[in-house]
Every structure is written in structure tokens, then in C-alpha cells.
Amino acid sequence: MSPVSILSEIWSRATEPLPPPEQWVVWTTAAVALVVVLSPTWRVARHVVTIAHEGAHALLALLTGRRLSGIRLHSDTSGLTVSYGKPRGFGMVLTAFAGYTGPGLVGLGAAFMLRQGYGVGLLWLLILVLALMLIQIRNWFGLLSILVSAAALVAISWFASTQWQTAAAYLVTWFLLLAAPRPVIELQASRRAGQARNSDADMLARLTPLPGLFWVCTFFVVTVGALVLGSWWIGAWSIEDLPRF
């Protein structure tokens, strides 16, 4: 196939709305995602959350007029996004705030796409986002993380059946929604132990009159709120007699 025909095929798949899956698919993928978040597999799966976290930092940096210098993803699941601009101000606050809230809000956006029937489109959109992040990656482990994630999504989006693609989209969405609050809890545990003195919450405390604990609580409220609303959207979309927004 020529590049033009490949792009045409991708666009056709991505923009075609699909009927909702059976309820057992919705809730089975939710159960699998919850097991991943609560089991030892979290140590590996947390890299996905880090990608969303650093990607959110990068996006808000660009949207607020800052100059993005690069993104690093580390094997201990930490990450670093470097941007240049005013050291204080609303743009810097938004950039710092975006990290811990990013995975939950990405999951909420994914839930909205599923609600509209664009599960396959969601997978291709995530591939595009990873490709854009790849340009800004500045270390080898980060490069490997992005390539592995993108390759898995491309394989599913191109070779798997529509049913498996839909299931994968639900699994990714549930994982982002369910996983988002856990790093916030881990952050506060680190802060109580006297660690994480340069965390996003502590940076926000230095940028604003509000203490770090306030920002941790705000992160938690946003991520839990995204989980509740996203869960309702996904569940309601698969049950025809419930109202929609």
C-alpha cells in the first residue's frame, strides 16, 4: 500500500463511529485495569502514567507560551519536562499543575471519545500524541518507553479486529482513570517522609500563597472527579436507557 492509501485507511478507521460493546467488555476491562493498578504490575504500568504526566506538562508549557526544551522519562518511573519562560506567573502555575492532573484528564477525554463511539479513533490519536512526544524525548529510556507504547498501539490499531481494538481502547481509558489518583497518594506519602521537596505541589507552593498540601488535595479532587465522571460516561454510554450529557 502507498503512504496515501495507508493514511486514507487510518483516517477511515479512526473517524468511523462504532456501536457500544457489550457490558461485559466494559466492566471486564475495568476489572483488569483495577488489578493492574493495585497489583505489583503497577511498577511497570506506572510508566504509562508518567508519559501522560510529562506530556501534560509539555502541552501546557506550549499553550502558555513557554519554550519546550525536552522531556526525560526514567526507569524509576520519574520524569522531567524542561521548559523556558517566565519563572513565575499564571503560565508557570498551569504548567506545574498539569502533571498530576494530566493522566486523569486524559482519561476523561478518552472516556468522552468512547462515549461517542470513537474507540479506534482514540487509539490513533494516542499514537499521534506519542509521535509528537518522541520529538522532544532527550534520553534513551524515554525513547524506549515511547517506542514500545506506540508500537503496541499501532499493532492493535492496524492488525487487531474491531472488537479487540475497542476492548483495548476501554482498557487504556479505564487504566488512566483508575491509575491517576495513585501517584497523588504516593506523592503525599513521600512529602510526609521528608522527600519530594521539589515536587509539583511544592513548586506550586513556592509560586502561590497556597501550601503544598492544598495542591496535593486539589490534584486528588481533580483525578477522583475525572474517575467518577469518566466512569459514568463509559457506563452510561453502554446502557441505552440512561440519560446522556
Side-chain angles (χ1 to χ4, degrees):
M1 298 178 67
S2 67
V4 173
S5 60
I6 291 175
L7 291 175
S8 177
E9 177 67 18
I10 290 173
W11 179 257
S12 176
R13 295 184 187 186
T15 57
E16 180 183 0
L18 300 174
E22 297 182 23
Q23 289 187 47
W24 71 266
V25 174
V26 177
W27 303 115
T28 298
T29 52
V32 171
L34 184 60
V35 169
V36 171
V37 171
L38 297 179
S39 70
T41 55
W42 170 249
R43 299 172 187 174
V44 176
R46 197 184 191 285
H47 288 291
V48 175
V49 179
T50 303
I51 291 173
H53 179 118
E54 300 304 329
H57 277 316
L59 176 62
L60 264 295
L62 292 172
L63 290 178
T64 56
R66 299 180 63 81
R67 182 167 61 88
L68 189 61
S69 176
I71 301 171
R72 292 178 177 270
L73 306 172
H74 303 133
S75 58
D76 63 356
T77 73
S78 65
L80 177 66
T81 298
V82 179
S83 62
Y84 294 98
K86 293 181 180 179
R88 306 187 69 87
F90 190 58
M92 189 62 203
V93 170
L94 284 180
T95 300
F97 182 76
Y100 279 96
T101 57
L105 294 178
V106 171
L108 183 61
F112 182 79
M113 290 189 67
L114 292 181
R115 187 169 176 264
Q116 307 305 314
Y118 294 109
V120 177
L122 170 62
L123 297 179
W124 284 110
L125 179 59
L126 292 175
I127 292 168
L128 176 61
V129 170
L130 290 174
L132 293 174
M133 286 187 67
L134 190 63
I135 301 172
Q136 293 294 332
I137 292 296
R138 296 294 183 266
N139 67 324
W140 287 109
F141 185 84
L143 179 65
L144 178 63
S145 296
I146 296 294
L147 288 177
V148 169
S149 302
L153 289 175
V154 169
I156 294 170
S157 302
W158 188 256
F159 297 107
S161 66
T162 301
Q163 291 78 8
W164 280 105
Q165 291 171 355
T166 300
Y170 272 82
L171 180 60
V172 170
T173 302
W174 276 121
F175 175 75
L176 289 170
L177 291 171
L178 291 166
R182 180 165 177 175
V184 180
I185 297 171
E186 294 173 346
L187 168 63
Q188 183 56 22
S190 297
R191 294 181 75 249
R192 290 187 63 182
Q195 304 169 358
R197 297 185 183 277
N198 293 317
S199 70
D200 293 348
D202 294 282
M203 181 183 296
L204 286 164
R206 292 190 291 269
L207 292 169
T208 68
L210 300 168
L213 182 59
F214 169 85
W215 292 108
V216 173
C217 293
T218 304
F219 296 158
F220 189 72
V221 169
V222 171
T223 54
V224 172
L227 170 59
V228 172
L229 181 56
S231 300
W232 190 90
W233 277 351
I234 296 175
W237 187 71
S238 63
I239 306 173
E240 292 183 355
D241 60 347
L242 287 182
R244 302 182 184 182
F245 285 127

